[in-house]
């Protein structure tokens, strides 16, 4: 009878441990954060090596990690747990595009999803001084006039002056820009209440190691991040027009935290 093999070596001798495990031809590999003690460069190398082994061996592997990058790149299916309870199990792209609840939405993705309190009225979703149309196919009739949680991923924003389109836009006063070479992160403040709930705090704790409530949130405002093209002219202290595809909006029930409506999966903006 073939055996289960546990691999939990957090050292540079991991290749040896993996080799010994492979020789036994186990029915499954059980990996408990095998890369957690490696430095950043070696972790990237070992992640690629594990992916090659996975594709070559096709052996069932159960991989436990707190690192979402490892989970999303190595897993065919990813199970997200909170306090020992299963929140969602799906393919990586499904988790990213269709999170089941606020915890999954806030935890999956880097930079994390922008979440803000909004209201649904007359086919529009309004947050602070901004309004965006509710896309066709998203049924929020049961929430008309009520507060909902609106989610927008940073990657679903674009500088409207760089990529001209007929998409709706919002005006943002830039607080900070982070130039990363291949992209620019534009940080700005929205005059609408932030979402500080158990699920979002738990997601922040899981990602950062501690609960973080910004000074902006303490003032009853929300801090947003837009991930835009490097050609943007956005600079601190200036205003910028940001376009967003309404089909990429996410909606969650304010009380239960469960997703409502069903945002379509559309192609990403051109790079």
């Amino acid at each position: 009878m073939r055996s289960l093999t546990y691999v939990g070596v957090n050292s540079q001798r991991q290749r040896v441990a993996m080799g010994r495990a492979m020789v036994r031809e186990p029915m499954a590999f059980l990996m408990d954060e095998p890369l957690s003690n490696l430095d950043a460069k070696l972790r990237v190398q070992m992640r690629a090596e594990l992916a090659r082994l996975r594709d070559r061996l096709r052996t069932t592997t159960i991989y436990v990690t707190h690192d979402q990058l490892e989970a999303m790149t190595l897993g065919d299916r990813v199970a997200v747990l909170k306090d020992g309870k299963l929140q969602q199990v799906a393919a990586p792209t499904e988790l990213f595009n269709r999170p089941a609840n606020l915890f999954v939405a806030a935890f999956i993705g880097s930079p994390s999803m922008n979440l803000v309190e909004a209201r649904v009225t007359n086919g529009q979703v309004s947050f602070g001084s901004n309004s965006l149309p509710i896309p066709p196919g998203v049924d929020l009739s049961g929430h008309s006039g009520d507060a909902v949680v609106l989610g927008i991923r940073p990657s679903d924003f674009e500088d409207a002056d760089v990529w001209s389109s007929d998409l709706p836009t919002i005006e943002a006063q830039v607080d900070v820009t982070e130039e990363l070479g291949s992209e620019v992160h534009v940080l700005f403040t929205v005059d609408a209440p932030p979402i500080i709930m158990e699920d979002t705090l738990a997601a922040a704790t899981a990602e950062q190691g501690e609960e973080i409530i910004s000074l902006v949130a303490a003032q009853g405002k929300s801090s947003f991040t837009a991930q835009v093209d490097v050609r943007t002219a956005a600079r601190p202290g200036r205003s910028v027009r940001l376009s967003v595809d309404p089909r990429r909006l996410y909606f969650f029930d304010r009380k239960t935290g469960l997703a409502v409506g069903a945002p379509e999966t559309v192609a990403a903006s051109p790079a």
Side-chain angles (χ1 to χ4, degrees):
M1 180 177 178
R2 298 169 73 188
S3 63
L4 291 171
T5 296
Y6 174 89
V7 179
V9 180
N10 287 316
S11 74
Q12 295 185 5
R13 295 192 297 273
Q14 184 167 10
R15 291 181 178 86
V16 176
M18 283 293 300
R20 289 173 177 170
M22 289 165 54
V23 168
R24 298 178 61 192
E25 297 185 351
M27 60 190 301
F29 292 111
L30 307 181
M31 298 190 181
D32 184 4
E33 300 202 58
L35 309 183
S36 60
N37 284 353
L38 305 182
D39 61 42
K41 184 176 180 179
L42 187 56
R43 183 178 297 190
V44 171
Q45 294 174 347
M46 286 302 301
R47 191 170 67 234
E49 201 163 318
L50 287 175
R52 283 193 290 268
L53 287 173
R54 174 203 62 195
D55 295 339
R56 191 180 79 190
L57 299 175
R58 306 308 300 171
T59 301
T60 298
T61 302
I62 300 175
Y63 191 108
V64 178
T65 180
H66 285 84
D67 187 323
Q68 63 166 289
L69 183 58
E70 289 178 20
M72 299 290 276
T73 55
L74 292 174
D76 296 311
R77 289 173 66 79
V78 179
V80 180
L81 290 92
K82 169 178 171 282
D83 298 331
K85 295 182 180 179
L86 185 64
Q87 302 296 306
Q88 186 175 0
V89 56
T93 53
E94 181 76 5
L95 283 180
F96 186 85
N97 290 316
R98 299 181 185 275
N101 56 40
L102 273 174
F103 178 79
V104 177
F107 181 61
I108 297 296
S110 182
S112 59
M113 183 184 289
N114 301 299
L115 297 167
V116 66
E117 185 175 298
R119 290 198 172 272
V120 177
T121 52
N122 301 321
Q124 299 274 320
V125 57
S126 301
F127 53 106
S129 57
N130 303 292
S131 291
L132 293 169
I134 297 173
V138 175
D139 183 10
L140 295 176
S141 57
H143 298 272
S144 182
D146 295 336
V148 297
V149 178
L150 169 66
I152 309 176
R153 290 206 179 277
S155 56
D156 291 327
F157 283 112
E158 195 48 83
D159 187 330
D161 294 326
V162 173
W163 293 103
S164 58
S165 70
D166 57 357
L167 293 175
T169 63
I170 65 172
E171 293 284 339
Q173 188 72 18
V174 180
D175 295 326
V176 176
T177 56
E178 299 175 338
E179 300 186 22
L180 304 179
S182 60
E183 62 194 34
V184 176
H185 292 177
V186 177
L187 281 64
F188 60 99
T189 301
V190 174
D191 56 343
I195 301 302
I196 303 176
M197 299 169 59
E198 180 184 351
D199 284 342
T200 56
L201 289 175
T205 302
E207 181 71 10
Q208 304 293 341
E210 61 182 41
E211 294 179 1
I212 299 176
I213 301 177
S214 69
L215 293 176
V216 171
Q219 298 170 359
K221 299 180 180 180
S222 299
S223 181
F224 268 39
T225 300
Q227 186 177 325
V228 302
D229 191 280
V230 293
R231 290 172 291 178
T232 182
R235 296 293 183 273
R238 299 183 186 176
S239 61
V240 62
R241 287 192 315 125
L242 297 171
S243 61
V244 59
D245 190 337
R247 293 175 297 171
R248 297 295 299 169
L249 301 180
Y250 296 82
F251 302 95
F252 303 90
D253 187 280
R254 185 70 174 81
K255 295 179 180 178
T256 66
L258 296 177
V260 293
E264 299 178 20
T265 301
V266 297
S269 299

